[in-house]
Amino acid sequence: MPSDLQINHRTVAGVTIFTLTGALVYDGGTKRLREALTNTVAAGARNCLLDLEQITYLDSGGVGSLVEMFRHVTRRGGQLKLLRPSPPARRVLGISRLTAVFDIFDDEADALLNLGSAAFPPL
Protein backbone atom coordinates (compact mmCIF):
# COMPACT_ATOMS: atom_id res chain seq x y z
CA MET A 1 0.00 0.00 0.00
CA PRO A 2 1.39 3.44 -0.93
CA SER A 3 2.44 5.77 1.87
CA ASP A 4 0.35 8.82 2.69
CA LEU A 5 1.24 12.04 0.93
CA GLN A 6 3.14 14.58 2.98
CA ILE A 7 3.29 18.20 1.81
CA ASN A 8 5.76 20.82 2.97
CA HIS A 9 6.11 24.24 1.45
CA ARG A 10 8.52 27.13 1.55
CA THR A 11 8.92 30.36 -0.37
CA VAL A 12 12.12 31.27 -2.19
CA ALA A 13 12.42 34.48 -4.23
CA GLY A 14 8.65 34.82 -4.55
CA VAL A 15 8.16 31.20 -5.65
CA THR A 16 6.24 28.79 -3.43
CA ILE A 17 7.90 25.38 -3.52
CA PHE A 18 5.79 22.42 -2.46
CA THR A 19 7.78 19.30 -1.57
CA LEU A 20 5.63 16.20 -1.95
CA THR A 21 6.66 12.98 -0.23
CA GLY A 22 4.91 9.61 -0.59
CA ALA A 23 2.13 8.56 -2.91
CA LEU A 24 0.11 11.04 -4.95
CA VAL A 25 -3.04 8.98 -5.39
CA TYR A 26 -6.76 9.59 -5.48
CA ASP A 27 -7.67 9.87 -1.84
CA GLY A 28 -6.86 12.28 0.92
CA GLY A 29 -3.49 12.96 -0.77
CA THR A 30 -5.03 14.63 -3.79
CA LYS A 31 -7.41 16.49 -1.49
CA ARG A 32 -4.48 17.74 0.64
CA LEU A 33 -2.61 18.90 -2.46
CA ARG A 34 -5.70 20.73 -3.75
CA GLU A 35 -6.22 22.43 -0.37
CA ALA A 36 -2.56 23.44 -0.02
CA LEU A 37 -2.34 24.93 -3.51
CA THR A 38 -5.73 26.65 -3.55
CA ASN A 39 -5.08 28.21 -0.13
CA THR A 40 -1.65 29.42 -1.23
CA VAL A 41 -3.00 30.91 -4.45
CA ALA A 42 -5.90 32.51 -2.56
CA ALA A 43 -3.30 34.13 -0.29
CA GLY A 44 -1.68 35.74 -3.33
CA ALA A 45 0.99 33.30 -4.55
CA ARG A 46 1.22 33.11 -8.34
CA ASN A 47 4.41 31.14 -9.03
CA CYS A 48 4.38 27.58 -7.72
CA LEU A 49 6.80 24.71 -8.07
CA LEU A 50 5.97 21.11 -7.18
CA ASP A 51 9.01 19.09 -6.12
CA LEU A 52 8.18 15.49 -7.02
CA GLU A 53 11.56 13.95 -6.21
CA GLN A 54 10.17 11.96 -3.27
CA ILE A 55 6.97 10.75 -4.93
CA THR A 56 6.87 6.97 -4.58
CA TYR A 57 3.71 6.33 -6.58
CA LEU A 58 1.48 8.34 -8.92
CA ASP A 59 -1.90 7.08 -10.13
CA SER A 60 -4.51 8.50 -12.50
CA GLY A 61 -6.13 10.41 -9.64
CA GLY A 62 -2.80 12.04 -8.87
CA VAL A 63 -2.32 12.91 -12.53
CA GLY A 64 -5.82 14.41 -12.62
CA SER A 65 -4.99 16.44 -9.52
CA LEU A 66 -1.82 17.81 -11.13
CA VAL A 67 -3.79 18.88 -14.20
CA GLU A 68 -6.54 20.40 -12.06
CA MET A 69 -3.99 22.39 -10.05
CA PHE A 70 -2.19 23.51 -13.22
CA ARG A 71 -5.47 24.88 -14.57
CA HIS A 72 -6.38 26.48 -11.23
CA VAL A 73 -3.09 28.35 -10.96
CA THR A 74 -2.86 29.42 -14.61
CA ARG A 75 -6.45 30.69 -14.66
CA ARG A 76 -5.46 33.06 -11.88
CA GLY A 77 -2.49 34.43 -13.79
CA GLY A 78 0.11 32.19 -12.20
CA GLN A 79 2.38 29.38 -13.19
CA LEU A 80 2.77 25.83 -11.92
CA LYS A 81 5.90 23.91 -12.85
CA LEU A 82 7.39 20.58 -11.81
CA LEU A 83 10.75 19.88 -10.22
CA ARG A 84 12.75 16.64 -10.23
CA PRO A 85 10.01 14.06 -10.82
CA SER A 86 10.99 10.70 -9.34
CA PRO A 87 11.35 7.79 -11.78
CA PRO A 88 7.80 6.50 -11.03
CA ALA A 89 6.34 10.01 -11.43
CA ARG A 90 8.32 10.72 -14.61
CA ARG A 91 7.13 7.42 -16.10
CA VAL A 92 3.46 8.19 -15.48
CA LEU A 93 3.86 11.78 -16.71
CA GLY A 94 5.42 10.43 -19.90
CA ILE A 95 2.74 7.78 -20.46
CA SER A 96 0.00 10.39 -19.95
CA ARG A 97 1.89 12.80 -22.26
CA LEU A 98 1.94 15.50 -19.60
CA THR A 99 5.63 16.13 -20.21
CA ALA A 100 4.40 18.24 -23.13
CA VAL A 101 2.08 20.24 -20.85
CA PHE A 102 4.22 20.91 -17.79
CA ASP A 103 7.57 22.66 -17.71
CA ILE A 104 9.79 20.17 -15.88
CA PHE A 105 13.10 21.09 -14.27
CA ASP A 106 15.82 18.91 -12.81
CA ASP A 107 17.53 21.80 -11.02
CA GLU A 108 15.83 24.04 -8.45
CA ALA A 109 17.95 27.07 -9.32
CA ASP A 110 16.96 26.80 -13.00
CA ALA A 111 13.30 26.50 -12.06
CA LEU A 112 13.48 29.52 -9.76
CA LEU A 113 15.22 31.55 -12.44
CA ASN A 114 12.55 30.58 -14.97
CA LEU A 115 9.68 31.39 -12.64
CA GLY A 116 11.33 34.61 -11.46
CA SER A 117 11.82 35.86 -15.02
CA ALA A 118 8.16 35.12 -15.71
CA ALA A 119 7.22 37.67 -13.07
CA PHE A 120 9.18 40.32 -14.99
CA PRO A 121 8.63 39.81 -18.74
CA PRO A 122 11.12 41.51 -21.08
CA LEU A 123 10.28 45.06 -22.16
Side-chain angles (χ1 to χ4, degrees), residues 109-121:
D110 289 342
L112 291 171
L113 183 63
N114 181 274
L115 282 163
S117 66
F120 304 101

Side-chain angles (χ1 to χ4, degrees), residues 28-112:
T30 55
K31 181 180 178 186
R32 281 192 296 278
L33 177 59
R34 187 178 320 108
E35 288 173 356
L37 266 165
T38 56
N39 289 341
T40 300
V41 170
R46 290 298 174 261
N47 293 321
C48 300
L49 186 62
L50 296 181
D51 185 344
L52 306 179
E53 184 175 30
Q54 298 175 46
I55 289 295
T56 56
Y57 186 76
L58 179 63
D59 74 356
S60 61
V63 168
S65 183
L66 291 175
V67 171
E68 177 188 0
M69 292 300 93
F70 177 81
R71 293 179 70 195
H72 179 80
V73 173
T74 57
R75 284 182 177 167
R76 285 153 183 81
Q79 294 187 80
L80 177 67
K81 301 189 181 199
L82 305 181
L83 178 64
R84 297 184 292 250
S86 66
R90 192 174 293 271
R91 181 176 173 273
V92 173
L93 291 168
I95 290 169
S96 59
R97 301 185 194 276
L98 288 177
T99 53
V101 174
F102 285 100
D103 286 337
I104 300 174
F105 296 88
D106 290 321
D107 181 73
E108 183 176 306
D110 289 342
L112 291 171

